[in-house]
Amino acid sequence: MRRSAFLASLKRRGALTGAVCLCLFQSIACSGGTESAAGAQGYVFDLPAGFPAPQVPADNPMNADKVELGRRLFYERGLSTGGNISCATCHQQRMAFSDGLTGGVGSTGEVNRRNSMSLTNTAYQATLTWANHHLRTFEEQATIPLFGEFPVELGLDDVSFPNALAGLEADETYAALFRDAFPKSENPVTKENLLKAIGAFQRTLISGNSAFDRGELSASALRGSQLFFSERLECFHCHGGFNFSSSLDHEGNLLDEISFHNNGLYNVGGTGDYPASDQGLIEVSGNDADMGKFKAPTLRNIELTAPYMHDGSIATLEEVVDHYAAGGRTIDPPDPNAGDGSANPHKDVLISGFIISAQEKQDLINFLKSLTDWEFVCNPMLSDPFGHIPPHASCTP
């Protein structure tokens, strides 16, 4: 698509899409959203019906040129120290903006201790990343993968980043996009504007056109939904609302919905500890009660984002259901992380275990798979403009 046509299309995207039936289940859909497609500062988000507008920082108003610039920067390998990876390497559209690995691999080959979280609907997350209650905006969060040293992700520093910016400024396409995206800036190719553009693109990664949203559940998935929203299984308490997460923020939101949970994944030595390599929110808060607490991610597109949990230590949805049915994971000796997770004293009280038949388990998984949004996964307006990352095999040209 030519750039002019692309931008015109982007600006037209105010029309609501899909016959969404989010109020099919009152407990998840009718969460007080504005049902307005209009975002801040006049930009029009392409929102599924029933979705509220995302929060937009006052100092980074949305515009179509900025979104397109952010898309290119998101996929730009020149923004890594080795010129070998981009943001999209760990957040690939074909896997709902995750990467299929236990831990993301940085530009130097270093493996991240944490699983690459899907970027589906992160515009609605009250906090960003797995376990940091201070990170609230994309503009702030983006500095971590760009410049962080523990671990090295994109690996830029005081020498390589100015060189990368100079390269962008010398590129005619980037120079024009920066001028259009930031028309009031005398010298628009700056670190601040780069972070703003990437953040603007990330706010457009909105997914809400799954079979569930369209009310097209199979008989099995419908039975699974009834299990999901039941007090017997308790799933919806941590994965509720229109975004299937207990971390939520949007325009007009009156409540500070920030939450983290210990789900009994570990209980090292029976002391309640998580492995020393990653102990969750306690590392940021310093509060002992936050041992092993992580954010409950959205379940939208969960079918495509394996492996699961903050450390990617559970491979399949079937194993995830087994974990919660047991009320926690038991790891046997001589594994150094041996312990009965179901007995972790910091575990969320809602994770108490349940009995589930083989048919019910399959029904529940079929419901989770009904949350896959192929329009989102295959949307060319979110895709790699450089062609480095192939689309999902189910996406047709």
Side-chain angles (χ1 to χ4, degrees):
M1 183 182 296
R2 296 176 54 190
R3 177 171 172 265
S4 58
F6 171 85
L7 292 176
S9 174
L10 198 60
K11 291 168 179 172
R12 287 198 303 270
R13 295 174 69 194
L16 301 179
T17 58
V20 182
C21 53
L22 285 173
C23 286
L24 181 62
F25 304 100
Q26 290 186 346
S27 58
I28 67 161
C30 303
S31 56
T34 64
E35 295 192 1
S36 168
Q41 296 90 28
Y43 178 83
V44 179
F45 280 96
D46 183 14
L47 298 179
F51 275 40
Q55 296 274 17
V56 177
D59 65 348
N60 189 22
M62 301 285 289
N63 67 58
D65 295 295
K66 192 184 297 182
V67 171
E68 170 58 0
L69 172 61
R71 181 174 76 117
R72 294 182 72 89
L73 294 172
F74 183 84
Y75 288 98
E76 177 55 68
R77 294 186 174 185
L79 290 177
S80 65
T81 189
N84 54 344
I85 67 171
S86 67
C87 302
T89 302
C90 294
H91 300 285
Q92 300 183 24
Q93 185 182 14
R94 59 181 172 168
M95 288 178 272
F97 294 93
S98 62
D99 64 5
L101 302 175
T102 299
V105 179
S107 62
T108 61
E110 185 174 359
V111 178
N112 197 318
R113 63 178 176 163
R114 289 181 178 165
N115 181 252
S116 298
M117 181 178 282
S118 167
L119 299 186
T120 298
N121 290 345
T122 43
Y124 294 113
Q125 295 284 312
T127 63
L128 302 173
T129 73
W130 283 101
N132 189 332
H133 56 303
H134 295 308
L135 279 177
R136 305 294 296 267
T137 70
F138 291 125
E139 292 78 4
E140 181 184 14
Q141 188 276 329
T143 62
I144 297 174
L146 281 167
F147 306 111
E149 297 178 347
F150 307 103
V152 172
E153 296 182 59
L154 295 168
L156 294 173
D157 56 26
D158 291 342
V159 175
S160 55
F161 183 65
N163 290 336
L165 271 187
L168 296 176
E169 193 165 22
D171 183 287
E172 291 184 3
T173 299
Y174 273 119
L177 281 170
F178 270 100
R179 284 196 303 271
D180 293 342
F182 301 96
K184 295 181 181 179
S185 296
E186 184 175 349
N187 299 303
V189 186
T190 64
K191 172 185 173 182
E192 180 183 17
N193 287 343
L194 180 145
L195 296 174
K196 287 180 175 179
I198 294 175
F201 172 65
Q202 288 181 270
R203 289 188 178 89
T204 69
L205 302 180
I206 294 175
S207 171
N209 189 26
S210 66
F212 164 76
D213 297 302
R214 298 190 300 272
E216 297 174 356
L217 297 183
S218 67
S220 175
L222 182 59
R223 291 193 300 270
S225 72
Q226 292 163 350
L227 289 166
F228 184 90
F229 294 111
S230 71
E231 294 294 343
R232 178 180 146 209
L233 266 63
E234 311 273 19
C235 309
F236 71 98
H237 289 296
C238 296
H239 295 283
F242 71 92
N243 198 32
F244 292 86
S245 173
S246 57
S247 175
L248 183 68
D249 196 16
H250 53 78
E251 272 193 4
N253 186 30
L254 300 178
L255 300 174
D256 198 10
E257 298 184 54
I258 298 175
S259 64
F260 300 88
H261 310 273
N262 180 320
N263 68 359
L265 197 62
Y266 295 100
N267 186 11
V268 180
T271 62
D273 285 349
Y274 268 43
S277 58
D278 194 353
Q279 299 190 320
L281 185 61
I282 188 175
E283 296 180 359
V284 179
S285 71
N287 185 343
D288 291 344
D290 291 332
M291 171 63 72
K293 286 187 176 180
F294 295 87
K295 185 172 67 178
T298 179
L299 297 186
R300 288 188 173 275
N301 301 303
I302 193 70
E303 174 186 9
L304 303 176
T305 65
Y308 304 104
M309 305 296 169
H310 69 278
D311 56 0
S313 62
I314 296 185
T316 67
L317 287 175
E318 287 78 4
E319 293 172 9
V320 170
V321 176
D322 290 341
H323 164 74
Y324 286 111
R329 181 170 63 181
T330 297
I331 300 176
D332 296 323
D335 191 302
N337 296 321
D340 179 3
S342 69
N344 190 309
H346 304 295
K347 191 183 69 170
D348 194 302
V349 295
L350 292 170
I351 302 172
S352 56
F354 49 82
I355 296 173
I356 189 168
S357 70
Q359 181 60 58
E360 288 177 324
K361 181 178 176 181
Q362 189 57 58
D363 292 341
L364 180 61
I365 290 170
N366 285 341
F367 169 67
L368 295 174
K369 291 182 177 179
S370 80
L371 301 177
T372 302
D373 176 357
W374 290 107
E375 181 182 73
F376 173 73
V377 173
C378 299
N379 186 347
M381 299 173 78
L382 307 178
S383 67
D384 181 1
F386 306 112
H388 297 307
I389 300 177
H392 193 283
S394 297
C395 302
T396 56

